[in-house]
Amino acid sequence: MEKNVIETDVLIIGGGTSGCLAAVELKELYPNLSVTIMEKAHVDRSGCLAGGMNAINAYLNPGETPESFTKYVRFDSCGLVREDLVLSMSELFEYCVKKVEKWGLPILCDEKGNYVPRGRWNIKINGESLKPIIAKAAKNAGAKILNWVTATNFIMADGKVAGAMGFSIKNGNFFIVKAKATIIATGGAAGIYKPNNAHDAQHKTWYSPYNTGAGYAMGIRAGAEMTSFEMRYIGLRVKDTIAPTGTIALGVGAPQINSKGEKFMAAKYAHIGGDGAPTPYRSHGPLQEIKEGRGPVYLDTRHITAQQARDLKSAFLDMYPSMVLYWAANEIDPSKEPVEVQTTEPYVVGGHTQSGYWVDVNRKTSIEGLYAAGDVSGGAPYKFVSGCWAEGVIAARAAGEYVQKTGFAQIPENVLKDEQERVFSPLMNQTHKIDGINNYDMEVRIQKIMEEYAGGAATFYEVNDERLQVARRRLSTLPDQFKYLMAEDLHDLMKAHEVIDRVYVAQVLVEHMMYRKETRWPGYCTRTDYTELDDTNWLKFVNSRRDPETGNIEMFTRPYEQIVPGDRYKPR
Amino acid sequence: MPVIIHTDKCNECNGSSNPPCVRMCPGDLWMKDPKTGKIVMRNASDCWDCLPCVKVCPQEAIEFRLSYQLGFQTARLLPHIHNTRDFITWELIDTNGVTDKFTIRTKVLPVELDESIEGVTPAEYSI
């Protein structure tokens, strides 16, 4: 295998929503810095935005402030968030949105030129080409792009992150990128649990199936502190297509109803906002209806006009075209019949919930030289697109400042050699025709364990200590099985590392779910042995750190700090 | 199979070594078959239905269908990018062959038929 060695001032891992904005910010502030993006696909259409986006879902519409936004996010996260992080990202929403609009993103405006609000925090966009637009800005700014290089581990030197290693899925070269500062922006993790659909629709998922937790896994292996993995994301989505429901619920004001036509959210969850209840309750509510025999559950769209139905389809075409095809392929008219919904596989994603790296307000992680932004970064839910942009900007500013007073580290040769060997061993196994397993078999194995013992959809996302113990034990055997993984080609090799990364994420996830002995987010993680929310003992963050030497995962807590005054369970 | 390629329409971008559909798939699923030179999908069940490949094909040779378990034949969806690059018209054909069209504002950037694989083999990186 050929080796490519690169030196760059700042390395950004992941050229998606956060990474591109980070690159632009760095080059604007420090034109002389070299900035390199390491991206596993092609920046033009990689990450969560590949299909497009029809709204900016975190924006301060007229009358709203960073404080009112933080209050809302705190309410939506059942009283527990890193308020410092939410405040700091919301202060940059306008800066980021205006910037991307300047790059060419069409945003819907009224005749006075003001953005058209959709609810308190949303504005409508025509974002079919949003990803190529921000990728072009990163290229124009002068960032060097390494497309099709999948990151596998950080380069560790003297306890600091000194860049990262990876390999090209196109030519198999081993990449060593030495950096003074590194920003991890690889997104969250799908495919930890059994997907909603099977067979040739197994990747008909809401979250990008190509975001497989690489950034989490790299941090876990390096001993970075992680937070709140137990706040999994389980979204309410349109049945079968797993399309987002915000477009319908917010777009045309559609309440949830059960098979009897009852508006159960309004009836049973009025005290926390009914159909506007915190997001976990909007999954928990319908799950209870289904569990108690009143499914299917729908979003009631029967009041909308034919024109509104057309507008709804247009909005989906900007973001999730398969929704429109699904209606056409099943003779469904959403203005005549309600839209059936279901809940997703559990995802680990810090942009909707708050699983990820434990960071300070500058998005610096617990390891020197490493910053985290976007879905991979923890503590700040409700980021969506604009919050990920804001975090990219914040991390870039901090990393840019850091590299002014730091140099390249001395890297021990064995770090590079060991990783090269680890990375390519599945290919060698294939060559030597060992009695091995393929990545798909291991993926199914981990998904089966997680689905059945760690709160998958089949068990209504419920967990208890005994079930989690089984999951822990079965997962603990998997790392010893990595040596049997075989890869026929480089695409296969990428998938082998995706499944390896998922195992590390799953192990940490199980520990987190086991440690929090309360049910703070029903629907996301319902504990049948600790069914209540318990502010007396659990109004704090559950954090973890895996010891790189022993592999033991240490669990501990960090205190919650209230910055914005007011009732933590109220949206205003 | 979620997307199908019409081999009669696909001209492999006139021998491009790195055609747009192959470059734009975020899952690395389209590839040029080394033996036949044809564009093939590695594994249709890994497709996310995100459609960059459909939108970027200069021949409009790739068509979006749903997996049969999710929708009946022969409903399909075809995006047409306007020459001005400021609009996209989606042609939606339902199971009865009835066509509907949606024209939506956008900002499509030009995509080259071929593009050197950025960063993968620059000589200065080799040791």
Side-chain angles (χ1 to χ4, degrees):
Chain A
M1 294 295 163
E2 216 178 306
K3 268 198 276 200
N4 289 160
V5 180
I6 300 168
E7 281 194 353
T8 184
D9 290 314
V10 182
L11 169 64
I12 299 166
I13 309 174
T17 320
S18 287
C20 287
L21 270 277
V24 174
E25 186 72 13
L26 272 162
K27 291 299 283 186
E28 281 179 359
L29 288 175
Y30 305 99
N32 296 327
L33 280 191
S34 54
V35 176
T36 303
I37 295 178
M38 187 189 269
E39 163 58 51
K40 86 190 261 197
H42 188 293
V43 282
D44 282 2
R45 286 285 187 181
S46 62
C48 296
L49 300 182
M53 187 52 67
N54 66 19
I56 300 292
N57 291 309
Y59 189 74
L60 307 178
N61 278 320
E64 303 293 353
T65 61
E67 286 73 24
S68 69
F69 179 77
T70 304
K71 240 181 221 181
Y72 181 80
V73 174
R74 182 173 66 195
F75 154 80
D76 194 67
S77 305
C78 304
L80 178 65
V81 282
R82 281 281 302 279
E83 299 187 13
D84 57 336
L85 300 182
V86 179
L87 280 168
S88 64
M89 77 182 190
S90 56
E91 281 157 7
L92 287 174
F93 287 161
E94 190 174 343
Y95 170 81
C96 294
V97 170
K98 289 272 182 323
K99 218 168 174 173
V100 178
E101 185 181 28
K102 209 174 66 196
W103 296 339
L105 173 70
I107 303 182
L108 262 67
C109 292
D110 61 19
E111 56 284 359
K112 286 183 187 147
N114 298 317
Y115 298 154
V116 180
R118 192 186 80 173
R120 289 177 75 187
W121 317 115
N122 311 60
I123 52 175
K124 288 188 193 176
I125 62 173
N126 289 124
E128 169 278 319
S129 278
L130 177 55
K131 188 68 221 296
I133 288 170
I134 62 171
K136 185 163 185 241
K139 289 182 215 170
N140 287 349
K144 187 184 287 293
I145 317 265
L146 303 173
N147 286 320
W148 299 298
V149 177
T150 186
T152 57
N153 259 327
F154 295 120
I155 301 172
M156 297 301 293
D158 288 337
K160 297 178 197 168
V161 167
M165 297 163 282
F167 67 96
S168 162
I169 60 170
K170 294 287 180 188
N171 68 5
N173 285 8
F174 183 58
F175 273 72
I176 297 162
V177 184
K178 301 175 180 177
K180 294 175 183 168
T182 302
I183 298 173
I184 184 86
T186 48
I192 307 276
Y193 287 83
K194 207 167 151 184
N196 289 98
N197 296 303
H199 309 297
D200 70 339
Q202 61 159 351
H203 274 183
K204 188 91 220 75
T205 54
W206 161 71
Y207 198 62
S208 165
Y210 316 121
N211 284 15
T212 52
Y216 293 134
M218 288 163 66
I220 290 165
R221 288 193 289 263
E225 184 174 338
M226 295 287 168
T227 190
S228 306
F229 271 43
E230 74 280 11
M231 191 186 183
R232 306 177 298 175
Y233 184 66
I234 289 138
L236 185 72
R237 293 294 178 261
V238 179
K239 180 147 185 307
D240 294 347
T241 60
I242 324 297
T245 45
T247 303
I248 303 173
L250 287 173
V252 297
Q256 290 197 50
I257 53 168
N258 62 20
S259 59
K260 312 283 176 209
E262 295 159 341
K263 294 179 183 169
F264 58 89
M265 288 305 292
K268 295 174 188 167
Y269 300 92
H271 60 292
I272 45 167
D275 278 289
T279 312
Y281 283 93
R282 297 206 299 271
S283 293
H284 177 71
L287 278 167
Q288 299 315 301
E289 295 305 302
I290 292 165
K291 202 176 171 185
E292 291 161 17
R294 291 182 298 278
V297 168
Y298 306 92
L299 285 176
D300 194 357
T301 48
R302 288 172 297 180
H303 61 289
I304 67 174
T305 62
Q307 183 57 44
Q308 279 179 305
R310 260 193 94 73
D311 292 346
L312 205 53
K313 289 176 187 172
S314 288
F316 272 116
L317 288 168
D318 266 338
M319 172 173 73
Y320 213 94
S322 56
M323 187 66 251
V324 179
L325 181 56
Y326 179 82
W327 284 330
N330 290 285
E331 299 178 4
I332 290 172
D333 177 348
S335 69
K336 294 204 172 73
E337 59 180 295
V339 177
E340 191 180 346
V341 290
Q342 69 177 117
T343 45
T344 65
E345 68 178 78
Y347 302 107
V348 182
V349 47
H352 283 250
T353 52
Q354 51 183 322
S355 317
Y357 284 82
W358 181 254
V359 291
D360 71 9
V361 77
N362 294 317
R363 272 54 177 185
K364 184 185 172 299
T365 69
S366 64
I367 305 182
E368 196 179 332
L370 182 65
Y371 300 78
D375 281 351
V376 85
S377 191
Y382 225 82
K383 281 189 253 243
F384 312 135
V385 173
S386 48
C388 290
W389 288 342
E391 289 205 324
V393 168
I394 297 169
R397 289 175 183 174
E401 202 182 308
Y402 173 75
V403 301
Q404 304 302 314
K405 46 183 198 291
T406 189
F408 288 103
Q410 274 298 337
I411 298 161
E413 197 50 39
N414 67 314
V415 170
L416 308 175
K417 229 180 112 206
D418 292 352
E419 179 64 357
Q420 188 170 3
E421 214 175 284
R422 184 188 81 92
V423 164
F424 294 104
S425 66
L427 277 182
M428 301 301 146
N429 291 346
Q430 177 77 25
T431 312
H432 299 142
K433 299 208 180 330
I434 71 152
D435 183 13
I437 42 177
N438 65 39
N439 62 71
Y440 182 70
D441 287 341
M442 191 176 278
E443 180 178 305
V444 172
R445 171 92 203 199
I446 171 188
Q447 289 174 349
K448 182 175 168 64
I449 297 169
M450 296 302 283
E451 179 73 11
E452 293 170 7
Y453 296 107
T459 57
F460 290 93
Y461 311 102
E462 291 173 350
V463 292
N464 62 25
D465 199 65
E466 293 77 12
R467 269 188 185 157
L468 289 169
Q469 297 277 4
V470 180
R472 172 198 270 171
R473 189 174 141 218
R474 300 221 166 150
L475 288 174
S476 71
T477 309
L478 279 170
D480 288 335
Q481 299 271 306
F482 294 158
K483 60 177 178 283
Y484 301 117
L485 272 171
M486 298 197 305
E488 272 184 40
D489 54 24
L490 294 166
H491 178 79
D492 244 16
L493 184 64
M494 170 182 78
K495 297 197 71 174
H497 284 284
E498 288 177 349
V499 72
I500 288 172
D501 289 345
R502 285 184 179 122
V503 171
Y504 285 93
V505 176
Q507 284 188 308
V508 171
L509 173 57
V510 165
E511 295 303 320
H512 273 258
M513 287 196 284
M514 211 183 277
Y515 197 79
R516 183 177 285 283
K517 293 182 174 47
E518 65 158 353
T519 297
R520 181 158 297 265
W521 304 288
Y524 287 175
C525 185
T526 306
R527 286 204 61 151
T528 51
D529 44 0
Y530 301 97
T531 54
E532 301 299 314
L533 184 147
D534 175 6
D535 263 355
T536 314
N537 295 303
W538 290 101
L539 180 58
K540 52 193 177 186
F541 298 96
V542 169
N543 284 15
S544 60
R545 184 185 173 275
R546 179 184 175 277
D547 187 321
E549 303 301 321
T550 64
N552 292 334
I553 300 167
E554 182 201 353
M555 302 302 301
F556 50 99
T557 60
R558 296 270 189 193
Y560 157 79
E561 191 195 343
Q562 179 162 4
I563 300 170
V564 178
D567 185 340
R568 293 177 16 257
Y569 296 102
K570 291 267 162 22
R572 285 177 195 274
Chain B
M1 180 138 173
V3 284
I4 51 175
I5 189 157
H6 292 286
T7 47
D8 53 325
K9 284 190 194 166
C10 172
N11 62 0
E12 294 87 36
C13 284
N14 300 316
S16 161
S17 61
N18 192 18
C21 58
V22 173
R23 291 207 305 277
M24 291 307 138
C25 175
D28 184 38
L29 297 177
W30 289 112
M31 63 180 271
K32 204 166 177 161
D33 188 308
K35 288 196 191 99
T36 63
K38 297 280 178 200
I39 306 297
V40 291
M41 185 168 256
R42 290 178 205 272
N43 185 359
S45 68
D46 281 351
C47 174
W48 189 27
D49 295 0
C50 58
L51 306 201
C53 59
V54 181
K55 290 173 186 168
V56 86
C57 176
Q59 305 298 319
E60 297 196 347
I62 308 176
E63 191 173 271
F64 178 42
R65 305 260 182 116
L66 282 175
S67 306
Y68 191 66
Q69 61 180 295
L70 300 182
F72 296 107
Q73 294 284 17
T74 51
R76 54 204 188 273
L77 184 61
L78 305 155
H80 307 291
I81 314 275
H82 294 207
N83 289 337
T84 58
R85 302 189 169 278
D86 285 340
F87 286 94
I88 183 168
T89 293
W90 294 86
E91 189 182 352
L92 175 69
I93 301 147
D94 73 10
T95 44
N96 300 314
V98 179
T99 300
D100 199 355
K101 284 187 179 178
F102 299 80
T103 297
I104 303 170
R105 197 161 60 126
T106 183
K107 184 82 184 173
V108 181
L109 304 173
V111 173
E112 304 297 320
L113 283 193
D114 213 335
E115 185 185 68
S116 61
I117 303 179
E118 293 162 74
V120 172
T121 48
E124 72 265 29
Y125 297 155
S126 296
I127 52 167

